Amino acid sequence: MNRYPLWKYLVIIIALLIGGLYSLPNFYGEAPAVQVSSAKPTIKVDLATQSRVEKILADASIDNTGIFFEAAGNVGSIKIRFNNTDIQLRARDLLQQKLNADQNDPNYTVALNLLSNTPGWLNAINALPMPLGLDLRGGVYFLLQVDMKGAVQKKVTSLATDIRSQLRDKSIRHQGIDRGVDSITINFGSADEAEAARSLLNTSQPDLTWLVKANGSATKLLGEFKPKALKDIQDNAVKQNIITLNKRVNELAVKEPVIQQQGAERIVVQLPGVQDTARAKDIIGRTATLESRLADPLVSTIGVGETPPPGMDTFRFGENRLGVFKKSVIFSGDRITDASAGFDQNQRPAVNISLDAAGGRVMQEVTRENIGKPMGMILFEKGKGEVLTIATIQGEFGSKFQITGQPTTESANDLALLLRAGSLAAPMEIIEERTIGPSLGAENIEKGFKSLLIGFTAIAIFMMVYYMLFGTFSVVALAVNLLLLISVLSMLQATLTLPGIAAMALALGMAIDSNVLINERIREELRNGSSPQTAIAIGFDKAWATILDSNVTTLIAGLALLAFGSGPIKGFAVVHCLGILTSMFSAVFFSRGLVNLWYGRHKKIQKLAIGQVWRPQEK
């Protein structure tokens, strides 16, 4: 009657082993560390960089307790663990100085970090500690300012290219297009040509007000943005940048990030529980925009210090070369819809790029007229352009084409990753960066877990005094519930926040409530005259139906919070829902297993140690 088959005990033992194993990493704590990662897309962090870091630290007699090279996709980083924060700060300052020759234009990001002390064998089976939220462990907070002038300038550049194409299609001759801060000026040789262009552009470019102005013997057509168009450009720039930031945050695999607009020109990014702070800063703070331009067909690159051809722009290409490009932009990064690494027909590394419809149309026109000429991709960051690649146009492209010229498959993968991450609609600058340190988080953790411990102890004392042996079974089941909940959160790598700790406390209350219900049902059967074995069986069966109904309705409420909530509410809902599932396992399945193990071996039981059972005749 009250005996579990062997397989049920095996399930319990396996659950306890897995729970213990995956909750173990949370008790090892963290050590101060320094992380070195690349600050530029053309700078690689690899094993050679690790050897260089080791030599710098050894020369300065700075001891470390471990140095690791990690590769996440195509991005590598080096992490060095130290004994205390004093050594950590010394190492950070030294590496910052030695690795970056130009402190105003650093090649490497050197940042403080924390590394888990979890042993390697646990890491090998993917047993990792729970990531803690911004309010517990700390995290990264960025306030970014969108450069609205840059957004308008980018739009002006794009319109100038379109207008040039439209005038050529209609055979309207002009003497050059000048781009202003927020206006476009087209020079004509006669007033008739200017009027013809104004009639065309009034229809095709309704966002600008076009005015014909005489300038001596020549005539100018001035296009200025309408106020509503300017506002739309700025609003769209913020929205597009938020979308791009979301893509970049996805690279970090951050749970429950917060990316939202603040005011008209600012964006807030919160990354709770991020351990890889250097990479977060690198990716989030990457204010780069991408552009594609035609390179000079005669001299596509020159040495640093050489004079470029007149009318051309130059950008750094590698260590000692400059790329020479025309001023007009073919397409920018916001036109790219997909990018992947592959091979061309000669099995050389290449990058496959897909553009949207507008980008594809412009690309087709430009490449049709420039087959055999070089074209490049330039990454603009903090106002400086850096050439990613220069490739030769092999044929007329549409919205899908290949970029060749990558020396290795790895470099093709790197370029594809950078293109996929997307560029910003407008440049941004980090105006506030905050790393919430462990001191405030440690205080929150201490208070949170102290309240959990006090609550658990109070419940344990009450249960053992009031229900005696059955109360002890309930306390053991409660501890198992907490163990399983922590292990499941660790396995899912769910971020634990203060609301999550509150949900843990609530889960403990609900779990003990289920045990109280079971114990009272057993007492009720004993009161009605049932034998102890029968009382145990009927008590668990009757209580199960009530516990199931109660937990299912609570679970529905938790799922609603999970579906429609965000931020702290979602963090609460995750722990709440998982706590309900683990409490049903521990309070009913595991608890009964203990009772069966203790009482199921005896054929006759005179009395159950479940506290005082008040019988009617005893009143």
Side-chain angles (χ1 to χ4, degrees):
M1 181 183 290
N2 289 316
R3 290 185 179 180
Y4 264 173
L6 180 61
W7 69 267
K8 286 192 176 181
Y9 283 113
L10 288 176
V11 169
I12 289 174
I13 292 171
I14 291 172
L16 288 178
L17 284 176
I18 294 176
L21 202 60
Y22 280 86
S23 60
L24 199 57
N26 296 287
F27 301 101
Y28 279 98
E30 294 173 321
V34 169
Q35 179 168 325
V36 178
S37 57
S38 172
K40 295 180 178 178
T42 52
I43 300 295
K44 296 288 293 180
V45 173
D46 49 22
L47 293 175
T49 314
Q50 179 179 330
S51 302
R52 190 178 166 196
V53 168
E54 286 174 341
K55 187 174 185 309
I56 291 171
L57 294 177
D59 290 346
S61 301
I62 295 178
D63 296 327
N64 63 80
T65 56
I67 182 165
F68 316 93
F69 172 74
E70 286 186 357
N74 298 308
V75 180
S77 65
I78 295 168
K79 295 176 181 175
I80 312 112
R81 188 186 289 156
F82 299 96
N83 277 326
N84 55 57
T85 52
D86 290 338
I87 302 176
Q88 177 197 30
L89 293 174
R90 278 179 56 208
R92 190 271 308 267
D93 295 342
L94 179 67
L95 291 173
Q96 182 80 39
Q97 180 188 357
K98 295 289 184 183
L99 290 176
N100 297 314
D102 183 358
Q103 297 297 320
N104 296 321
D105 187 20
N107 290 331
Y108 297 93
T109 300
V110 182
L112 300 179
N113 205 338
L114 289 172
L115 285 182
S116 171
N117 286 324
T118 305
W121 65 273
L122 283 173
N123 286 326
I125 59 171
N126 205 28
L128 304 170
M130 276 184 292
L132 301 180
L134 206 64
D135 50 358
L136 292 182
R137 182 186 184 277
V140 187
Y141 171 94
F142 292 112
L143 181 62
L144 300 125
Q145 174 79 41
V146 180
D147 180 4
M148 291 304 182
K149 289 183 179 177
V152 175
Q153 185 61 45
K154 197 170 180 184
K155 183 69 174 176
V156 167
T157 303
S158 172
L159 286 179
T161 304
D162 282 350
I163 289 169
R164 185 177 287 108
S165 174
Q166 290 169 13
L167 294 178
R168 184 173 59 245
D169 290 344
K170 297 295 180 183
S171 301
I172 300 175
R173 300 180 61 185
H174 62 89
Q175 297 178 345
I177 299 177
D178 298 328
R179 292 172 288 178
V181 176
D182 56 357
S183 64
I184 296 175
T185 304
I186 311 172
N187 301 305
F188 293 96
S190 68
D192 292 340
E193 290 173 332
E195 280 296 336
R198 189 169 74 91
S199 300
L200 171 67
L201 297 177
N202 270 336
T203 305
S204 62
Q205 303 294 343
D207 289 341
L208 289 86
T209 302
W210 295 98
L211 297 172
V212 176
K213 292 188 175 181
N215 184 19
S217 59
T219 305
K220 288 185 176 182
L221 183 60
L222 176 65
E224 293 181 322
F225 280 103
K226 297 175 182 175
K228 183 179 179 307
L230 270 179
K231 186 175 183 307
D232 288 344
I233 291 170
Q234 294 172 349
D235 290 345
N236 290 334
V238 175
K239 290 176 183 174
Q240 175 64 33
N241 281 10
I242 289 177
I243 292 172
T244 304
L245 285 174
N246 270 300
K247 291 180 185 175
R248 293 180 177 182
V249 168
N250 287 339
E251 290 184 39
L252 294 167
V254 178
K255 310 287 190 307
E256 302 169 18
V258 176
I259 303 173
Q260 59 190 18
Q261 184 172 351
Q262 185 178 80
E265 303 177 354
R266 293 179 176 179
I267 298 173
V268 170
V269 178
Q270 292 182 15
L271 305 176
V274 167
Q275 294 184 0
D276 198 345
T277 52
R279 190 171 178 224
K281 184 178 179 181
D282 177 37
I283 292 179
I284 300 301
R286 189 188 296 160
T287 56
T289 56
L290 283 168
E291 286 185 5
S292 177
R293 298 190 187 192
L294 286 173
D296 189 312
L298 300 177
V299 186
S300 58
T301 64
I302 59 175
V304 174
E306 293 183 27
T307 304
M312 295 288 181
D313 288 335
T314 57
F315 306 104
R316 182 172 287 277
F317 187 25
E319 290 288 332
N320 303 308
R321 304 290 295 171
L322 296 174
V324 183
F325 292 91
K326 295 185 177 180
K327 291 185 177 296
S328 59
V329 177
I330 302 173
F331 66 86
S332 53
D334 54 348
R335 298 291 186 195
I336 297 175
T337 58
D338 190 24
S340 61
F343 298 92
D344 63 6
Q345 63 273 21
N346 298 317
Q347 295 305 306
R348 293 175 301 185
V351 178
N352 302 309
I353 296 178
S354 299
L355 301 177
D356 61 10
R361 180 176 58 81
V362 175
M363 190 68 179
Q364 191 173 25
E365 292 174 1
V366 172
T367 53
R368 185 192 306 144
E369 299 168 2
N370 295 281
I371 292 175
K373 296 179 181 176
M375 181 184 74
M377 297 289 296
I378 306 137
L379 181 75
F380 287 89
E381 195 165 15
K382 297 177 182 177
K384 297 179 180 176
E386 185 156 357
V387 182
L388 297 177
T389 179
I390 297 179
T392 303
I393 300 173
Q394 302 289 353
E396 182 180 325
F397 299 158
S399 58
K400 295 181 184 295
F401 59 94
Q402 276 188 335
I403 290 180
T404 58
Q406 296 302 308
T408 63
T409 307
E410 189 179 13
S411 63
N413 278 321
D414 287 349
L415 180 56
L417 178 68
L418 192 59
L419 296 175
R420 269 202 312 275
S423 68
L424 299 170
M428 289 193 299
E429 182 184 1
I430 298 176
I431 59 173
E432 184 181 348
E433 175 193 342
R434 207 153 22 100
T435 302
I436 298 179
S439 56
L440 180 60
E443 187 179 344
N444 289 333
I445 290 174
E446 185 185 350
K447 288 181 178 177
F449 282 101
K450 191 176 179 181
S451 61
L452 262 181
L453 185 64
I454 292 174
F456 185 89
T457 306
I459 290 172
I461 292 172
F462 171 79
M463 293 296 289
M464 287 190 287
V465 169
Y466 194 69
Y467 291 110
M468 299 178 69
L469 183 59
F470 274 75
T472 306
F473 292 151
S474 302
V475 172
V476 174
L478 197 63
V480 168
N481 177 42
L482 194 58
L483 179 78
L484 293 179
L485 182 55
I486 291 175
S487 64
V488 171
L489 288 171
S490 301
M491 281 190 277
L492 296 176
Q493 285 292 286
T495 303
L496 181 66
T497 59
L498 270 179
I501 294 179
M504 272 190 184
L506 181 62
L508 288 183
M510 293 180 64
I512 205 63
D513 190 44
S514 300
N515 284 109
V516 168
L517 195 61
I518 291 168
N519 294 341
E520 287 301 325
R521 289 283 191 232
I522 295 173
R523 277 183 169 186
E524 186 180 328
E525 291 304 316
L526 291 173
R527 193 178 301 123
N528 292 335
S530 300
S531 66
Q533 293 285 15
T534 306
I536 291 173
I538 296 177
F540 269 100
D541 290 342
K542 281 187 175 178
W544 165 244
T546 308
I547 293 170
L548 182 65
D549 290 345
S550 169
N551 281 294
V552 165
T553 50
T554 312
L555 185 62
I556 291 171
L559 290 174
L561 284 177
L562 190 62
F564 301 108
S566 63
I569 295 176
K570 207 164 187 173
F572 176 88
V574 168
V575 181
H576 179 64
C577 292
L578 292 175
I580 291 172
L581 299 177
T582 55
S583 74
M584 289 175 72
F585 175 85
S586 62
V588 181
F589 189 69
F590 177 78
S591 177
R592 185 164 187 177
L594 279 182
V595 173
N596 287 355
L597 193 63
W598 189 269
Y599 287 106
R601 296 171 298 169
H602 306 289
K603 292 184 178 178
K604 290 185 178 179
I605 305 173
Q606 298 300 323
K607 188 178 179 182
L608 294 180
I610 197 169
Q612 183 64 47
V613 179
W614 299 99
R615 301 179 190 279
Q617 61 270 23
E618 294 175 344
K619 291 181 180 176

